[in-house]
Amino acid sequence: MARPREFDTEDAIRKAAGVFWTKGYEEASLPDLLEGMELTRGSLYKAFGDKKSLYLRVLDYYGKVAVDKAVAQLTDPSVPDGRRRILGLFKGIVQAVRDGDRRGCLLCTAAAGSEMSDPEIAAAVNNGLRRIRDAMAVALSVSPLHDTLQTDARATLANVLLTQYIGLRVLARSCLPLGIVEQSGRGIEELLRAR
């Protein structure tokens, strides 16, 4: 008879997310994961299979925790001005860096890594980034400065905003001076004033 699992799967995935977020997919070694997740090698393999399978589970978890939060903020009907929703998202990124969080975004880090050569990982990362971009387009559709834009122009601006989002999240990891991150965040306000 098999012994019952002696750890919480969701907690283990959350801990694995911390390891991958800090080290990246390629640099996260099996010993790093075992230590970070507080599991034995056998428990990790039995519960999650290989490193890639675990990483895909982590990306799914991150989508539910971080991407869902960003999408909710960008589509929040209690904030009627979509421009304010977008600015709030970017201000939150800058504030996180001010508060000492230099991890950036797990998806953005993955998007710049060699793991994107794997079609399954690339699909998971691209799905999360696409959801953020689509939510930005929704926010632009209810922004008084942008609601009259044609659909194609709004989609283009949402793509530019996603590029800025990825750039700011990667910049957060760079450990450049806080002033550079703050200035980049303020640049989004200027971008959203332009028509």
Short mmCIF file of all heavy atoms in Angstrom, two decimals, residues 65-122:
data_model
loop_
_atom_site.label_atom_id
_atom_site.label_comp_id
_atom_site.label_asym_id
_atom_site.label_seq_id
_atom_site.Cartn_x
_atom_site.Cartn_y
_atom_site.Cartn_z
N VAL A 65 -2.06 33.37 -9.68
CA VAL A 65 -1.75 34.31 -8.61
C VAL A 65 -1.45 35.71 -9.16
O VAL A 65 -2.09 36.68 -8.77
CB VAL A 65 -0.55 33.79 -7.77
CG1 VAL A 65 -0.10 34.83 -6.76
CG2 VAL A 65 -0.92 32.51 -7.07
N ALA A 66 -0.50 35.82 -10.04
CA ALA A 66 -0.04 37.13 -10.49
C ALA A 66 -0.76 37.64 -11.73
O ALA A 66 -1.18 38.79 -11.78
CB ALA A 66 1.47 37.08 -10.74
N VAL A 67 -0.90 36.79 -12.74
CA VAL A 67 -1.55 37.24 -13.98
C VAL A 67 -3.02 37.55 -13.73
O VAL A 67 -3.52 38.60 -14.17
CB VAL A 67 -1.35 36.23 -15.13
CG1 VAL A 67 -2.12 36.66 -16.38
CG2 VAL A 67 0.12 36.04 -15.44
N ASP A 68 -3.71 36.68 -13.01
CA ASP A 68 -5.12 36.95 -12.70
C ASP A 68 -5.28 38.27 -11.96
O ASP A 68 -6.22 39.02 -12.21
CB ASP A 68 -5.72 35.82 -11.87
CG ASP A 68 -6.02 34.57 -12.67
OD1 ASP A 68 -5.79 34.56 -13.90
OD2 ASP A 68 -6.49 33.58 -12.06
N LYS A 69 -4.33 38.57 -11.06
CA LYS A 69 -4.39 39.83 -10.30
C LYS A 69 -4.22 41.03 -11.24
O LYS A 69 -4.96 42.02 -11.14
CB LYS A 69 -3.30 39.83 -9.23
CG LYS A 69 -3.30 41.06 -8.36
CD LYS A 69 -2.22 40.97 -7.30
CE LYS A 69 -2.15 42.25 -6.49
NZ LYS A 69 -1.06 42.23 -5.53
N ALA A 70 -3.26 40.95 -12.16
CA ALA A 70 -3.05 42.05 -13.11
C ALA A 70 -4.26 42.22 -14.02
O ALA A 70 -4.70 43.35 -14.27
CB ALA A 70 -1.78 41.79 -13.93
N VAL A 71 -4.80 41.12 -14.50
CA VAL A 71 -5.98 41.18 -15.37
C VAL A 71 -7.16 41.79 -14.62
O VAL A 71 -7.89 42.64 -15.15
CB VAL A 71 -6.33 39.79 -15.94
CG1 VAL A 71 -7.69 39.78 -16.60
CG2 VAL A 71 -5.25 39.33 -16.92
N ALA A 72 -7.35 41.38 -13.38
CA ALA A 72 -8.44 41.94 -12.57
C ALA A 72 -8.27 43.45 -12.39
O ALA A 72 -9.24 44.21 -12.48
CB ALA A 72 -8.51 41.24 -11.22
N GLN A 73 -7.05 43.88 -12.14
CA GLN A 73 -6.80 45.31 -11.97
C GLN A 73 -7.07 46.08 -13.27
O GLN A 73 -7.67 47.15 -13.25
CB GLN A 73 -5.36 45.54 -11.53
CG GLN A 73 -5.01 47.00 -11.28
CD GLN A 73 -3.62 47.17 -10.71
OE1 GLN A 73 -2.87 46.21 -10.50
NE2 GLN A 73 -3.24 48.41 -10.46
N LEU A 74 -6.67 45.52 -14.39
CA LEU A 74 -6.84 46.20 -15.67
C LEU A 74 -8.28 46.18 -16.17
O LEU A 74 -8.65 46.98 -17.03
CB LEU A 74 -5.93 45.55 -16.72
CG LEU A 74 -4.43 45.80 -16.50
CD1 LEU A 74 -3.60 44.84 -17.35
CD2 LEU A 74 -4.08 47.25 -16.79
N THR A 75 -9.09 45.30 -15.66
CA THR A 75 -10.48 45.19 -16.12
C THR A 75 -11.47 45.55 -15.01
O THR A 75 -12.66 45.28 -15.15
CB THR A 75 -10.77 43.77 -16.64
OG1 THR A 75 -10.55 42.82 -15.59
CG2 THR A 75 -9.90 43.44 -17.85
N ASP A 76 -11.01 46.15 -13.94
CA ASP A 76 -11.83 46.47 -12.77
C ASP A 76 -12.85 47.56 -13.10
O ASP A 76 -12.48 48.72 -13.27
CB ASP A 76 -10.93 46.92 -11.63
CG ASP A 76 -11.68 47.22 -10.36
OD1 ASP A 76 -12.92 47.08 -10.32
OD2 ASP A 76 -11.02 47.61 -9.37
N PRO A 77 -14.15 47.23 -13.16
CA PRO A 77 -15.15 48.23 -13.51
C PRO A 77 -15.36 49.29 -12.43
O PRO A 77 -15.94 50.35 -12.70
CB PRO A 77 -16.43 47.40 -13.71
CG PRO A 77 -16.20 46.15 -12.93
CD PRO A 77 -14.72 45.91 -12.93
N SER A 78 -14.85 49.05 -11.21
CA SER A 78 -15.00 50.08 -10.17
C SER A 78 -14.06 51.26 -10.41
O SER A 78 -14.19 52.31 -9.79
CB SER A 78 -14.77 49.48 -8.78
OG SER A 78 -13.40 49.19 -8.58
N VAL A 79 -13.10 51.09 -11.32
CA VAL A 79 -12.23 52.20 -11.75
C VAL A 79 -12.64 52.51 -13.19
O VAL A 79 -12.23 51.83 -14.12
CB VAL A 79 -10.73 51.80 -11.69
CG1 VAL A 79 -9.86 52.96 -12.14
CG2 VAL A 79 -10.35 51.33 -10.29
N PRO A 80 -13.52 53.51 -13.37
CA PRO A 80 -14.10 53.74 -14.69
C PRO A 80 -13.11 54.19 -15.77
O PRO A 80 -13.33 53.93 -16.93
CB PRO A 80 -15.16 54.81 -14.45
CG PRO A 80 -14.85 55.42 -13.13
CD PRO A 80 -14.04 54.43 -12.35
N ASP A 81 -12.01 54.83 -15.38
CA ASP A 81 -11.04 55.31 -16.37
C ASP A 81 -9.96 54.24 -16.56
O ASP A 81 -9.14 53.99 -15.67
CB ASP A 81 -10.41 56.62 -15.88
CG ASP A 81 -9.43 57.22 -16.88
OD1 ASP A 81 -9.03 56.53 -17.84
OD2 ASP A 81 -9.06 58.39 -16.69
N GLY A 82 -9.95 53.61 -17.73
CA GLY A 82 -8.99 52.56 -18.01
C GLY A 82 -7.55 53.02 -17.95
O GLY A 82 -6.65 52.23 -17.61
N ARG A 83 -7.31 54.27 -18.27
CA ARG A 83 -5.95 54.82 -18.18
C ARG A 83 -5.45 54.74 -16.74
O ARG A 83 -4.30 54.37 -16.49
CB ARG A 83 -5.94 56.26 -18.68
CG ARG A 83 -4.59 56.94 -18.64
CD ARG A 83 -4.70 58.38 -19.20
NE ARG A 83 -3.46 59.07 -19.02
CZ ARG A 83 -3.12 59.73 -17.91
NH1 ARG A 83 -3.93 59.78 -16.88
NH2 ARG A 83 -1.95 60.33 -17.82
N ARG A 84 -6.32 55.05 -15.79
CA ARG A 84 -5.95 54.95 -14.37
C ARG A 84 -5.66 53.51 -13.97
O ARG A 84 -4.78 53.25 -13.15
CB ARG A 84 -7.07 55.52 -13.49
CG ARG A 84 -7.08 57.05 -13.50
CD ARG A 84 -8.07 57.65 -12.53
NE ARG A 84 -8.01 57.05 -11.21
CZ ARG A 84 -9.07 56.72 -10.48
NH1 ARG A 84 -10.29 56.96 -10.91
NH2 ARG A 84 -8.93 56.18 -9.28
N ARG A 85 -6.37 52.56 -14.56
CA ARG A 85 -6.10 51.14 -14.27
C ARG A 85 -4.68 50.77 -14.70
O ARG A 85 -3.95 50.11 -13.97
CB ARG A 85 -7.09 50.24 -15.02
CG ARG A 85 -8.53 50.41 -14.63
CD ARG A 85 -9.39 49.53 -15.52
NE ARG A 85 -10.80 49.87 -15.43
CZ ARG A 85 -11.73 49.35 -16.22
NH1 ARG A 85 -11.40 48.47 -17.15
NH2 ARG A 85 -12.99 49.70 -16.08
N ILE A 86 -4.33 51.19 -15.91
CA ILE A 86 -3.00 50.88 -16.45
C ILE A 86 -1.92 51.55 -15.62
O ILE A 86 -0.93 50.92 -15.24
CB ILE A 86 -2.90 51.29 -17.94
CG1 ILE A 86 -3.86 50.45 -18.78
CG2 ILE A 86 -1.47 51.17 -18.45
CD1 ILE A 86 -4.08 50.97 -20.19
N LEU A 87 -2.11 52.83 -15.32
CA LEU A 87 -1.12 53.55 -14.51
C LEU A 87 -0.98 52.90 -13.14
O LEU A 87 0.12 52.81 -12.60
CB LEU A 87 -1.50 55.03 -14.39
CG LEU A 87 -1.40 55.83 -15.68
CD1 LEU A 87 -1.90 57.25 -15.47
CD2 LEU A 87 0.03 55.83 -16.21
N GLY A 88 -2.08 52.44 -12.59
CA GLY A 88 -2.03 51.76 -11.29
C GLY A 88 -1.18 50.50 -11.34
O GLY A 88 -0.44 50.20 -10.40
N LEU A 89 -1.30 49.76 -12.43
CA LEU A 89 -0.49 48.55 -12.59
C LEU A 89 1.00 48.90 -12.61
O LEU A 89 1.80 48.29 -11.89
CB LEU A 89 -0.87 47.82 -13.88
CG LEU A 89 -0.08 46.56 -14.19
CD1 LEU A 89 -0.45 45.43 -13.22
CD2 LEU A 89 -0.32 46.10 -15.63
N PHE A 90 1.37 49.90 -13.39
CA PHE A 90 2.77 50.29 -13.49
C PHE A 90 3.27 50.91 -12.18
O PHE A 90 4.41 50.65 -11.77
CB PHE A 90 2.98 51.23 -14.67
CG PHE A 90 3.04 50.50 -15.99
CD1 PHE A 90 1.91 50.36 -16.77
CD2 PHE A 90 4.22 49.94 -16.44
CE1 PHE A 90 1.95 49.67 -17.98
CE2 PHE A 90 4.28 49.25 -17.64
CZ PHE A 90 3.14 49.12 -18.41
N LYS A 91 2.45 51.70 -11.52
CA LYS A 91 2.85 52.28 -10.23
C LYS A 91 3.08 51.17 -9.21
O LYS A 91 3.97 51.26 -8.36
CB LYS A 91 1.80 53.28 -9.74
CG LYS A 91 1.84 54.57 -10.52
CD LYS A 91 0.76 55.53 -10.07
CE LYS A 91 0.81 56.79 -10.92
NZ LYS A 91 -0.26 57.74 -10.59
N GLY A 92 2.27 50.12 -9.28
CA GLY A 92 2.45 48.98 -8.37
C GLY A 92 3.80 48.29 -8.59
O GLY A 92 4.44 47.84 -7.62
N ILE A 93 4.23 48.20 -9.84
CA ILE A 93 5.53 47.60 -10.14
C ILE A 93 6.64 48.44 -9.52
O ILE A 93 7.55 47.92 -8.86
CB ILE A 93 5.74 47.46 -11.66
CG1 ILE A 93 4.72 46.48 -12.25
CG2 ILE A 93 7.17 47.04 -11.98
CD1 ILE A 93 4.64 46.51 -13.77
N VAL A 94 6.57 49.75 -9.72
CA VAL A 94 7.59 50.65 -9.17
C VAL A 94 7.57 50.58 -7.64
O VAL A 94 8.63 50.51 -7.01
CB VAL A 94 7.37 52.09 -9.68
CG1 VAL A 94 8.30 53.06 -8.97
CG2 VAL A 94 7.56 52.16 -11.19
N GLN A 95 6.40 50.54 -7.04
CA GLN A 95 6.31 50.47 -5.59
C GLN A 95 6.91 49.17 -5.06
O GLN A 95 7.58 49.16 -4.03
CB GLN A 95 4.86 50.61 -5.12
CG GLN A 95 4.72 50.74 -3.61
CD GLN A 95 5.47 51.93 -3.05
OE1 GLN A 95 5.32 53.05 -3.51
NE2 GLN A 95 6.32 51.69 -2.05
N ALA A 96 6.69 48.08 -5.76
CA ALA A 96 7.28 46.81 -5.34
C ALA A 96 8.81 46.91 -5.32
O ALA A 96 9.45 46.40 -4.39
CB ALA A 96 6.82 45.68 -6.27
N VAL A 97 9.38 47.57 -6.32
CA VAL A 97 10.84 47.74 -6.34
C VAL A 97 11.27 48.64 -5.19
O VAL A 97 12.25 48.35 -4.50
CB VAL A 97 11.30 48.30 -7.71
CG1 VAL A 97 12.79 48.61 -7.69
CG2 VAL A 97 10.97 47.32 -8.82
N ARG A 98 10.52 49.72 -4.94
CA ARG A 98 10.83 50.58 -3.79
C ARG A 98 10.83 49.78 -2.49
O ARG A 98 11.62 50.05 -1.60
CB ARG A 98 9.77 51.69 -3.66
CG ARG A 98 9.98 52.86 -4.53
CD ARG A 98 9.02 53.99 -4.14
NE ARG A 98 8.96 54.94 -5.20
CZ ARG A 98 7.88 55.23 -5.92
NH1 ARG A 98 6.72 54.64 -5.66
NH2 ARG A 98 7.93 56.11 -6.88
N ASP A 99 9.91 48.83 -2.42
CA ASP A 99 9.79 48.00 -1.21
C ASP A 99 10.81 46.88 -1.15
O ASP A 99 10.79 46.06 -0.23
CB ASP A 99 8.37 47.41 -1.12
CG ASP A 99 7.31 48.47 -0.90
OD1 ASP A 99 7.65 49.60 -0.49
OD2 ASP A 99 6.12 48.17 -1.16
N GLY A 100 11.70 46.82 -2.15
CA GLY A 100 12.78 45.85 -2.13
C GLY A 100 12.55 44.59 -2.95
O GLY A 100 13.38 43.69 -2.94
N ASP A 101 11.43 44.50 -3.65
CA ASP A 101 11.15 43.30 -4.46
C ASP A 101 11.78 43.48 -5.83
O ASP A 101 11.27 44.20 -6.68
CB ASP A 101 9.64 43.09 -4.59
CG ASP A 101 9.29 41.80 -5.32
OD1 ASP A 101 10.20 41.16 -5.89
OD2 ASP A 101 8.10 41.44 -5.33
N ARG A 102 12.90 42.82 -6.04
CA ARG A 102 13.65 42.92 -7.30
C ARG A 102 13.50 41.66 -8.14
O ARG A 102 14.30 41.41 -9.03
CB ARG A 102 15.13 43.17 -7.01
CG ARG A 102 15.43 44.54 -6.42
CD ARG A 102 15.30 45.59 -7.49
NE ARG A 102 15.86 46.86 -7.07
CZ ARG A 102 16.34 47.75 -7.92
NH1 ARG A 102 16.35 47.52 -9.21
NH2 ARG A 102 16.80 48.89 -7.48
N ARG A 103 12.46 40.85 -7.87
CA ARG A 103 12.29 39.60 -8.62
C ARG A 103 11.76 39.84 -10.03
O ARG A 103 11.90 39.00 -10.89
CB ARG A 103 11.33 38.67 -7.89
CG ARG A 103 11.86 38.18 -6.56
CD ARG A 103 10.83 37.36 -5.85
NE ARG A 103 9.65 38.18 -5.60
CZ ARG A 103 8.50 37.70 -5.15
NH1 ARG A 103 8.36 36.42 -4.91
NH2 ARG A 103 7.48 38.50 -4.94
N GLY A 104 11.11 40.95 -10.26
CA GLY A 104 10.50 41.18 -11.57
C GLY A 104 9.28 40.30 -11.75
O GLY A 104 8.52 40.08 -10.82
N CYS A 105 9.10 39.78 -12.92
CA CYS A 105 7.94 38.95 -13.26
C CYS A 105 8.46 37.59 -13.74
O CYS A 105 9.36 37.53 -14.59
CB CYS A 105 7.14 39.63 -14.37
SG CYS A 105 5.91 38.62 -15.20
N LEU A 106 7.91 36.53 -13.20
CA LEU A 106 8.34 35.18 -13.60
C LEU A 106 8.16 34.96 -15.10
O LEU A 106 9.02 34.39 -15.77
CB LEU A 106 7.56 34.14 -12.81
CG LEU A 106 7.94 32.69 -13.03
CD1 LEU A 106 9.37 32.42 -12.58
CD2 LEU A 106 7.00 31.77 -12.28
N LEU A 107 7.04 35.45 -15.66
CA LEU A 107 6.80 35.28 -17.11
C LEU A 107 7.79 36.08 -17.94
O LEU A 107 8.29 35.60 -18.96
CB LEU A 107 5.37 35.72 -17.46
CG LEU A 107 4.23 34.89 -16.93
CD1 LEU A 107 2.90 35.51 -17.36
CD2 LEU A 107 4.32 33.46 -17.37
N CYS A 108 8.06 37.32 -17.49
CA CYS A 108 8.98 38.17 -18.25
C CYS A 108 10.40 37.62 -18.22
O CYS A 108 11.10 37.64 -19.23
CB CYS A 108 8.96 39.59 -17.69
SG CYS A 108 7.33 40.38 -17.81
N THR A 109 10.79 37.07 -17.07
CA THR A 109 12.10 36.44 -16.97
C THR A 109 12.17 35.23 -17.89
O THR A 109 13.16 35.03 -18.60
CB THR A 109 12.38 36.03 -15.51
OG1 THR A 109 12.33 37.22 -14.69
CG2 THR A 109 13.73 35.38 -15.35
N ALA A 110 11.11 34.44 -17.88
CA ALA A 110 11.07 33.26 -18.75
C ALA A 110 11.09 33.66 -20.22
O ALA A 110 11.76 33.02 -21.04
CB ALA A 110 9.83 32.43 -18.45
N ALA A 111 10.38 34.73 -20.56
CA ALA A 111 10.29 35.17 -21.95
C ALA A 111 11.66 35.54 -22.52
O ALA A 111 11.89 35.43 -23.72
CB ALA A 111 9.33 36.35 -22.08
N ALA A 112 12.58 35.93 -21.64
CA ALA A 112 13.92 36.32 -22.09
C ALA A 112 14.91 35.16 -21.98
O ALA A 112 16.08 35.33 -22.32
CB ALA A 112 14.42 37.49 -21.25
N GLY A 113 14.44 34.00 -21.57
CA GLY A 113 15.35 32.88 -21.33
C GLY A 113 15.35 31.84 -22.42
O GLY A 113 14.47 31.79 -23.29
N SER A 114 16.32 30.96 -22.33
CA SER A 114 16.44 29.90 -23.33
C SER A 114 15.32 28.87 -23.24
O SER A 114 15.10 28.11 -24.18
CB SER A 114 17.81 29.21 -23.19
OG SER A 114 17.91 28.62 -21.90
N GLU A 115 14.60 28.85 -22.12
CA GLU A 115 13.48 27.90 -21.99
C GLU A 115 12.39 28.14 -23.02
O GLU A 115 11.57 27.27 -23.28
CB GLU A 115 12.91 27.91 -20.57
CG GLU A 115 12.40 29.22 -20.07
CD GLU A 115 13.43 30.03 -19.30
OE1 GLU A 115 14.64 29.94 -19.61
OE2 GLU A 115 13.04 30.77 -18.40
N MET A 116 12.40 29.32 -23.64
CA MET A 116 11.39 29.61 -24.67
C MET A 116 11.58 28.76 -25.92
O MET A 116 10.70 28.73 -26.78
CB MET A 116 11.41 31.10 -25.02
CG MET A 116 10.92 31.99 -23.88
SD MET A 116 9.22 31.64 -23.37
CE MET A 116 8.33 32.43 -24.70
N SER A 117 12.68 28.03 -26.01
CA SER A 117 12.86 27.13 -27.14
C SER A 117 11.99 25.88 -26.99
O SER A 117 11.80 25.14 -27.95
CB SER A 117 14.33 26.74 -27.30
OG SER A 117 14.76 26.03 -26.15
N ASP A 118 11.45 25.66 -25.80
CA ASP A 118 10.54 24.54 -25.57
C ASP A 118 9.12 25.00 -25.90
O ASP A 118 8.62 25.97 -25.30
CB ASP A 118 10.61 24.09 -24.11
CG ASP A 118 9.71 22.91 -23.84
OD1 ASP A 118 8.47 23.11 -23.79
OD2 ASP A 118 10.23 21.79 -23.68
N PRO A 119 8.44 24.36 -26.84
CA PRO A 119 7.12 24.82 -27.27
C PRO A 119 6.07 24.87 -26.15
O PRO A 119 5.26 25.79 -26.13
CB PRO A 119 6.71 23.81 -28.34
CG PRO A 119 7.97 23.17 -28.80
CD PRO A 119 8.91 23.21 -27.64
N GLU A 120 6.10 23.92 -25.23
CA GLU A 120 5.10 23.94 -24.15
C GLU A 120 5.33 25.09 -23.19
O GLU A 120 4.39 25.76 -22.75
CB GLU A 120 5.12 22.62 -23.38
CG GLU A 120 4.53 21.46 -24.14
CD GLU A 120 4.60 20.19 -23.31
OE1 GLU A 120 5.64 19.51 -23.35
OE2 GLU A 120 3.60 19.91 -22.60
N ILE A 121 6.58 25.33 -22.84
CA ILE A 121 6.90 26.45 -21.95
C ILE A 121 6.59 27.76 -22.66
O ILE A 121 5.97 28.66 -22.07
CB ILE A 121 8.37 26.38 -21.49
CG1 ILE A 121 8.58 25.17 -20.58
CG2 ILE A 121 8.78 27.67 -20.80
CD1 ILE A 121 10.02 24.90 -20.19
N ALA A 122 6.98 27.87 -23.92
CA ALA A 122 6.70 29.10 -24.68
C ALA A 122 5.21 29.37 -24.74
O ALA A 122 4.77 30.51 -24.58
CB ALA A 122 7.30 28.99 -26.08
#
